[in-house]
Amino acid sequence: MNQYSPLDAMTYKGNLTLPKVPESNMALSVLGVFLGLLLEVSTHGPSSVPRSSWKHEDLNLVEFSESGVFNYSTLLLSEEREALYVGAREAIFELNIHNVSIKNNQVLWKVPEPHINKCTLKGKSKETDCLNYIRVLQMLNKETLYVCGTHAFQPFCDYLNLTDFKLMNKQEDGRGKCSFDPAQSFTTVMVDGELYSGTAYNFLGSEPIISRYSLSQSLLRTEYSTSWLNEPSFVFADVIREGRNSADGDDDKIYYFFTEVSVEYEFFGKLLIPRIARVCKGDLGGQRTLQKKWTSFLKAKLVCSMPELNFVFNVIHDVFILKSPDWRETVIYGVFTSQWGNVGLSAVCVYNMTSVDEVFSNGKYMQKATVEQSHTKWVRYNGMTPSPRPGACINNQNRLQNINSSLLLPDKTLQFVKDHPLLADPVLPISNGPRLIAKNVNYTQIAVERVTALDGNVYHVIFTATDKGVLHKSVVYESGVHTVEEVQLLKKQEPVKTLLLSKQGAGFLYAGSDSGVVQSPTAFCDKYLSCEDCVLSRDPYCAWNTHSTSCVNVFQKSENTQKRKLIQNLRGDADVCPSARPRMMENYQHVVVKPGSSAELPCRVRSHLAQILWKVNGSVLTEASHFLLIRDTSLLIYSVAPEDQGRYECWSVEPASGKNFSRLVAVYELKLELLESSESSSSSRVFSSIDIVEEINPDTSTLRSTSAAAKDDKGNDSNGHTAGISLLTSTEKPPLTSTSSSKPHSKLSIPPETGDTNPRPETLDPSAKYLQNDNSGALLFLFLLFFLLFLCALSYNCYMQYLPAPCLRLRTALLGSPKKPQPEYIACESGLMEPVSEKPDLTEQLQQNGAQQRPQALRDTGYETEPECGNGKIQSHGYEEPDDSPSKQRPFDIDCESQPIEYADADVPY
Ligand SMILES: *[C@@H]1O[C@H](CO)[C@@H](O)[C@H](O)[C@H]1NC(C)=O
Ligand SMILES: *[C@@H]1O[C@H](CO)[C@@H](O)[C@H](O)[C@H]1NC(C)=O
Ligand SMILES: *[C@@H]1O[C@H](CO)[C@@H](O)[C@H](O)[C@H]1NC(C)=O
Ligand SMILES: *[C@@H]1O[C@H](CO)[C@@H](O)[C@H](O)[C@H]1NC(C)=O
Ligand SMILES: *[C@@H]1O[C@H](CO)[C@@H](O)[C@H](O)[C@H]1NC(C)=O
């Protein structure tokens, strides 16, 4: 655990010693986000660019939607009944699992008029809020579904008979099982006929609850207290069968995942923290203390950060538990973003179930402590803990002491767990950092599958869906994560609300959104038209069938698929492919243009990892040549002159397995139109590029891998990636100015050797292709804007001769609107920075030290009841590593540095 920062070494000038608090630099590092650290983040970490992109219109995905019905956000898969159950707005559907466009059944569930009226009277919208959003669909038994809907902000549950697909009209109270608000996040899981949920218990959504409903036992719930749950946003819950074959008679556990507002760190706004919480399945509540409340509720912080950069992903959006028969081998996948959505980074972190259990079974507790009579803060509890361990499930050892159920637990244990639901030790991800980082996307959903490839190894395939309806498929290899493809799953750019994987090997994904349900295969092998493309995709589902000469899905059993005829190399070593047959050399695509006109030679390489290389007459083309524009998809030659005639080749150079694989994508023979044959139509012969690649030059087709392997790439399929040749037939030279001004995409920088030597293509960042818009530019702009704002405010304050005190008042006034931390931040910061403004070298200081200084300026905001940084005698040694840091010279730092961890519950009534 290298999570400790020098901050932790601080001591307290109170009657209490401040113990080490892990991750206490979180608030600080989060601030680093605004300060350009981000620029660094985007160049570090296991980020991955999807190799291929598939458009929605090219895929023929099976879709379902019913006119007039929206919000298909609840999905339940029943492999047994071969059905996909869909909960939408006012309707439940049963779809065919093999083809979701086939609707087997449906039932409508509307809200009666009186309920709607009651709902609108409370100020909710009749058109959107006061409807019945079906949000819970759980299998109760083989014939019955348990369903709940928001029912016009008055949740109700019912039973759905699957035999006749009718609601039984039992209409049970749905409070605590389903959210009131259709937009509020919540989670449920049915375990052995008992419904576990995490949601809000009241109309306002202000009373969070984790509860269990069962027919045989009484309702069990969380204590209503911010130390148990503080404005949580639930994302997932599931059972881990730890009780099965447990040697010590331990119990099964239900794990919850949510983001909540931190109590242990204070921040200028609300600092969000991702949590993992658990309860024991056998919990019955306490006898006197914690009556009908969980006696086993404990929660811990889920860390997803890049320690080397102090960058924290602190909002969890979805979780997938990749289960194993032995729970110890189970791993938890979570998708995270940062609290500041504009950062545009998503991360996937993976947790080991063994280490999760270790934290809950042996971790230290956090304790609320009052300091200086006014503040409460959370510190690590190092005292004696009562026995049996508070929050633990009943095991054989307890049973030996005649404690057979939670009802028999001693009051001491129960009181302790009631006051200490938070554990001090965090759950750290495997390898201490994200498994995957994606730029410019917001992941909303995740599903993970184990796939046994032809090499006999098992790989984890991660499917992540975004708020723009895109699916990413990434494979975890030893060398790092490889993102095989991105798929535009949804027609509209809307969030994927639910993502489900079919049973192992069935090969389908189901995605629910506001406008419909989409069924997608887990692989698109048939999109790869050559062996090289198939192998370079590094997709464990796909292999090249030498018999049928097609890229096939190895999990789709077909008669003529014999394993020995399949070629797969997950390192992407395309040398395993059979040599391409030599082709006739004469059959280039002939392009004839008038002298002085322009020619556009298309070349679309579908792999985002590949670079494009143009050769003319066998030597590499650079933009130094006149009137050339090398673009992502084509080569544009302005004003064709006689010396421009020749053989033009477009090559794709893709790195994999430590080699560069070069493939010839298109060949053109450019000729000037002879003056006598002035019939204009002759120049516009258009060929499909498939023709070309079939007719590859034999010189190059024998070259392999690092020595400029030339492969025939039929990769330019009918999807219009290479549409053919378009000729600009203007007889005038385009004005030079426009030529030069339209050359910013200059890509070639290193002219590789010709012929058989290793082609060294342009130093083009592949991500630039994929992302289209350059992220860092925008960030830099933001940073500059921010800095400019700061300077303006600074000079204004300077002029007005303000002192820190007015700032504090200003900050207090603004504290009421925590949802807009930035204005508050700027306003306050400018005030605080003011005393330093006389220093001429302030800007320089900021530049050198910005990342550390701003947090300091912030940390002392908000306590107007006390002199600034009232606990300010705390020593701050080692807070910043360089002791001679310029910040040390600044007057206010002496006060403010000293309050690194703020006082969480200061104004929270208990
Ligand atoms: C329901 O779907 C509509 C139409 O797409 C959308 O505008 C609305 O935000 C959705 N509501 C919820 C609660 O998801
Ligand atoms: C989880 O951690 C345990 C102990 O640290 C280790 O033995 C096990 O291999 C890990 N499992 C995974 C899937 O990483
Ligand atoms: C991610 O979500 C945030 C907030 O919802 C939004 O501001 C941002 O533009 C999104 N980013 C992308 C790349 O979609
Ligand atoms: C290519 O070679 C031909 C003759 O072999 C020559 O006329 C032409 O100018 C060359 N083209 C270029 C661009 O070098
Ligand atoms: C592959 O090409 C890149 C330039 O695009 C070069 O930096 C790298 O060294 C090459 N790798 C091999 C193995 O030749």
Side-chain angles (χ1 to χ4, degrees):
M1 277 213 314
N2 52 358
Q3 301 291 321
Y4 293 87
S5 79
L7 261 182
D8 301 323
M10 240 167 294
T11 49
Y12 226 88
K13 203 219 167 187
N15 50 357
L16 154 136
T17 306
L18 181 64
K20 289 196 174 191
V21 179
E23 284 278 307
S24 53
N25 56 348
M26 180 161 186
L28 303 179
S29 45
V30 160
L31 270 170
V33 167
F34 292 105
L35 301 167
L37 250 183
L38 191 57
L39 295 169
E40 234 185 306
V41 172
S42 48
T43 58
H44 281 68
S47 69
S48 193
V49 173
R51 182 179 178 273
S52 308
S53 304
W54 314 122
K55 291 194 202 123
H56 185 81
E57 56 268 29
D58 296 339
L59 291 176
N60 291 322
L61 301 177
V62 182
E63 297 172 69
F64 170 80
S65 67
E66 192 91 341
S67 70
V69 180
F70 300 97
N71 311 93
Y72 301 79
S73 48
T74 313
L75 300 183
L76 174 72
L77 208 53
S78 169
E79 311 272 355
E80 209 170 306
R81 301 187 70 97
E82 303 209 321
L84 177 72
Y85 298 102
V86 181
R89 195 167 78 186
E90 319 234 280
I92 304 163
F93 302 98
E94 184 189 295
L95 309 179
N96 185 318
I97 201 170
H98 306 294
N99 181 342
V100 296
S101 67
I102 300 171
K103 181 175 74 180
N104 294 338
N105 277 304
Q106 79 169 51
V107 61
L108 298 184
W109 184 4
K110 294 197 184 277
V111 187
E113 200 64 37
H115 281 270
I116 297 181
N117 294 339
K118 227 166 108 188
C119 175
T120 49
L121 277 180
K122 287 179 185 166
K124 299 292 173 189
S125 145
K126 187 169 179 174
E127 287 73 35
T128 58
D129 299 332
C130 298
L131 297 169
N132 193 17
Y133 293 80
I134 311 300
R135 301 197 83 193
V136 176
L137 285 181
Q138 295 286 352
M139 215 70 181
L140 194 63
N141 54 46
K142 279 183 181 170
E143 282 84 40
T144 321
L145 282 190
Y146 195 63
V147 297
C148 306
T150 59
H151 209 263
F153 266 81
Q154 192 183 350
F156 271 106
C157 296
D158 207 338
Y159 298 82
L160 180 66
N161 186 331
L162 294 179
T163 320
D164 58 1
F165 217 74
K166 291 220 163 59
L167 288 167
M168 294 178 182
N169 259 317
K170 289 195 184 163
Q171 301 258 330
E172 292 179 356
D173 183 4
R175 270 186 310 160
K177 303 173 190 170
C178 178
S179 68
F180 286 66
D181 185 342
Q184 202 173 40
S185 68
F186 84 113
T187 184
T188 55
V189 59
M190 183 76 83
V191 181
D192 304 336
E194 298 178 329
L195 188 76
Y196 292 80
S197 64
T199 182
Y201 197 64
N202 61 352
F203 179 84
L204 290 176
S206 55
E207 187 187 336
I209 177 173
I210 282 179
S211 56
R212 179 180 70 201
Y213 297 84
S214 88
L215 295 173
S216 54
Q217 294 166 337
S218 66
L219 181 144
L220 216 56
R221 55 163 294 170
T222 40
E223 184 86 2
Y224 182 32
S225 141
T226 50
S227 44
W228 282 47
L229 292 169
N230 193 18
E231 299 181 42
S233 179
F234 294 101
V235 301
F236 189 73
D238 203 358
V239 64
I240 300 288
R241 303 282 184 183
E242 294 178 33
R244 198 186 287 161
N245 309 326
S246 165
D248 58 0
D250 202 355
D251 199 359
D252 291 345
K253 303 185 178 71
I254 290 83
Y255 285 89
Y256 283 85
F257 299 85
F258 53 94
T259 307
E260 68 173 350
V261 175
S262 129
V263 291
E264 69 266 43
Y265 308 106
E266 175 91 347
F267 196 55
F268 62 94
K270 285 178 177 173
L271 181 64
L272 302 179
I273 297 260
R275 298 271 194 224
I276 177 171
R278 83 174 190 192
V279 293
C280 302
K281 191 165 150 267
D283 199 341
L284 297 173
Q287 189 68 263
R288 286 177 299 273
T289 312
L290 291 179
Q291 206 178 46
K292 298 193 177 165
K293 305 270 169 66
W294 297 108
T295 65
S296 55
F297 178 82
L298 288 177
K299 63 180 181 182
K301 181 168 74 176
L302 209 50
V303 173
C304 185
S305 68
M306 290 190 281
E308 70 273 22
L309 291 176
N310 268 350
F311 189 85
V312 181
F313 294 94
N314 66 332
V315 180
I316 186 164
H317 292 277
D318 192 26
V319 163
F320 187 90
I321 301 188
L322 190 60
K323 293 187 180 177
S324 275
D326 181 357
W327 67 265
R328 286 171 198 85
E329 278 152 31
T330 290
V331 285
I332 299 168
Y333 279 83
V335 280
F336 296 80
T337 60
S338 148
Q339 183 170 358
W340 295 275
N342 52 5
V343 167
L345 289 174
S346 296
V348 174
C349 277
V350 194
Y351 304 89
N352 186 335
M353 203 63 220
T354 320
S355 37
V356 169
D357 191 66
E358 177 65 23
V359 168
F360 281 100
S361 303
N362 299 315
K364 292 266 188 195
Y365 301 84
M366 289 286 261
Q367 145 132 311
K368 214 161 40 164
T370 307
V371 284
E372 309 255 324
Q373 284 95 49
S374 57
H375 289 310
T376 340
K377 67 182 271 86
W378 287 82
V379 296
R380 182 185 281 249
Y381 177 78
N382 280 321
M384 290 277 290
T385 44
S387 173
R389 180 178 161 88
C393 302
I394 305 295
N395 60 18
N396 288 341
Q397 205 187 338
N398 305 137
R399 293 187 187 103
L400 283 178
Q401 298 166 342
N402 276 333
I403 303 173
N404 287 314
S405 92
S406 64
L407 291 164
L408 302 172
L409 284 168
D411 269 347
K412 247 185 165 171
T413 292
L414 295 180
Q415 191 59 47
F416 189 91
V417 73
K418 185 179 172 188
D419 297 337
H420 303 81
L422 178 61
L423 294 168
D425 296 306
V427 174
L428 298 174
I430 295 174
S431 75
N432 261 337
R435 174 81 30 113
L436 168 67
I437 292 171
K439 292 175 212 168
N440 277 7
V441 290
N442 291 323
Y443 284 156
T444 56
Q445 291 284 307
I446 186 167
V448 185
E449 183 167 53
R450 285 191 187 88
V451 172
T452 310
L454 293 185
D455 62 11
N457 294 331
V458 176
Y459 298 96
H460 289 189
V461 181
I462 306 171
F463 297 94
T464 38
T466 73
D467 62 346
K468 301 279 195 309
V470 172
L471 179 80
H472 283 184
K473 177 166 98 184
S474 310
V475 191
V476 182
Y477 291 122
E478 258 168 41
S479 55
V481 174
H482 169 72
T483 301
V484 175
E485 59 203 357
E486 62 176 348
V487 182
Q488 183 66 46
L489 268 190
L490 308 180
K491 218 177 283 164
K492 288 204 285 179
Q493 292 205 346
E494 57 178 344
V496 173
K497 294 279 178 81
T498 324
L499 187 68
L500 284 187
L501 254 175
S502 62
K503 198 182 62 200
Q504 187 77 36
F508 284 114
L509 276 163
Y510 305 92
S513 73
D514 279 340
S515 46
V517 178
V518 175
Q519 173 186 1
S520 164
T522 49
F524 297 93
C525 304
D526 56 355
K527 291 273 171 198
Y528 305 115
L529 299 177
S530 69
C531 176
E532 287 76 20
D533 212 14
C534 186
V535 169
L536 281 168
S537 72
R538 302 177 70 195
D539 188 329
Y541 295 89
C542 301
W544 184 255
N545 185 331
T546 50
H547 184 71
S548 66
T549 59
S550 57
C551 192
V552 295
N553 190 323
V554 295
F555 298 99
Q556 270 161 15
K557 302 277 174 283
S558 72
E559 293 296 312
N560 55 4
T561 309
Q562 289 162 304
K563 289 220 166 168
R564 63 191 166 83
K565 287 194 181 134
L566 295 176
I567 295 177
Q568 188 180 59
N569 185 298
L570 295 180
R571 279 174 292 117
D573 188 346
D575 280 347
V576 297
C577 284
S579 306
R581 278 161 288 157
R583 307 256 177 186
M584 293 306 287
M585 175 168 194
E586 297 79 44
N587 295 321
Y588 301 150
Q589 188 163 347
H590 292 274
V591 182
V592 185
V593 293
K594 289 190 181 119
S597 66
S598 308
E600 184 174 7
L601 309 178
C603 175
R604 176 68 78 90
V605 174
R606 288 185 313 174
S607 167
H608 296 299
L609 305 181
Q611 296 166 349
I612 293 179
L613 191 73
W614 281 94
K615 287 183 186 173
V616 60
N617 283 354
S619 55
V620 169
L621 205 55
T622 63
E623 291 212 49
S625 325
H626 68 292
F627 305 142
L628 279 175
L629 177 59
I630 296 169
R631 303 194 295 202
D632 276 352
T633 55
S634 65
L635 173 73
L636 199 57
I637 309 163
Y638 295 114
S639 175
V640 180
E643 65 268 24
D644 292 329
Q645 298 182 98
R647 181 164 54 102
Y648 286 79
E649 295 172 355
C650 175
W651 290 76
S652 137
V653 182
E654 184 162 0
S657 186
K659 303 176 193 168
N660 282 331
F661 292 94
S662 302
R663 290 178 296 152
L664 193 52
V665 180
V667 187
Y668 301 94
E669 185 77 51
L670 185 72
K671 279 208 174 84
L672 278 186
E673 192 175 296
L674 296 174
L675 285 174
E676 48 267 30
S677 67
S678 54
E679 283 167 52
S680 59
S681 61
S682 66
S683 64
S684 37
R685 282 173 62 201
V686 172
F687 294 75
S688 115
S689 58
I690 294 178
D691 299 340
I692 319 161
V693 279
E694 295 284 1
E695 301 146 359
I696 286 276
N697 172 1
D699 289 350
T700 45
S701 63
T702 51
L703 310 174
R704 312 278 306 181
S705 66
T706 46
S707 53
K711 300 292 161 60
D712 61 328
D713 183 1
K714 293 182 284 180
N716 299 287
D717 59 9
S718 53
N719 292 334
H721 290 300
T722 308
I725 304 166
S726 57
L727 297 173
L728 305 180
T729 48
S730 114
T731 46
E732 286 167 6
K733 282 194 177 191
L736 259 180
T737 45
S738 77
T739 310
S740 48
S741 68
S742 57
K743 282 194 175 187
H745 299 280
S746 172
K747 291 280 166 59
L748 283 186
S749 55
I750 313 164
E753 299 298 300
T754 58
D756 298 0
T757 45
N758 188 14
R760 289 182 292 142
E762 67 272 26
T763 54
L764 161 69
D765 178 10
S767 67
K769 269 190 210 167
Y770 158 60
L771 299 170
Q772 316 255 302
N773 50 343
D774 191 4
N775 186 17
S776 57
L779 291 173
L780 198 67
F781 170 74
L782 262 178
F783 178 71
L784 285 176
L785 187 76
F786 200 72
F787 188 66
L788 211 70
L789 264 175
F790 162 73
L791 279 183
C792 288
L794 187 70
S795 29
Y796 174 74
N797 281 302
C798 217
Y799 174 70
M800 298 296 284
Q801 296 193 316
Y802 280 168
L803 287 168
C807 156
L808 279 188
R809 250 178 265 131
L810 186 59
R811 194 254 173 231
T812 312
L814 287 165
L815 193 62
S817 56
K819 281 189 178 152
K820 293 177 197 157
Q822 261 168 296
E824 168 186 330
Y825 172 46
I826 295 159
C828 175
E829 180 190 47
S830 51
L832 281 171
M833 289 297 194
E834 189 268 339
V836 212
S837 63
E838 279 127 52
K839 294 200 177 186
D841 58 341
L842 171 66
T843 16
E844 206 186 310
Q845 282 186 17
L846 270 175
Q847 278 156 3
Q848 292 169 348
N849 212 30
Q852 285 102 349
Q853 282 185 9
R854 293 194 189 200
Q856 291 163 9
L858 282 168
R859 269 179 293 111
D860 57 351
T861 58
Y863 292 99
E864 77 282 4
T865 51
E866 286 208 1
E868 191 189 339
C869 310
N871 306 303
K873 311 221 170 85
I874 307 166
Q875 289 310 300
S876 55
H877 298 308
Y879 162 53
E880 282 157 330
E881 318 83 65
D883 268 356
D884 54 348
S885 121
S887 68
K888 298 276 172 188
Q889 301 149 14
R890 295 167 48 194
F892 68 85
D893 286 335
I894 294 147
D895 292 328
C896 301
E897 255 179 15
S898 49
Q899 211 175 10
I901 305 161
E902 299 269 352
Y903 302 96
D905 290 329
D907 44 10
V908 180
Y910 278 88

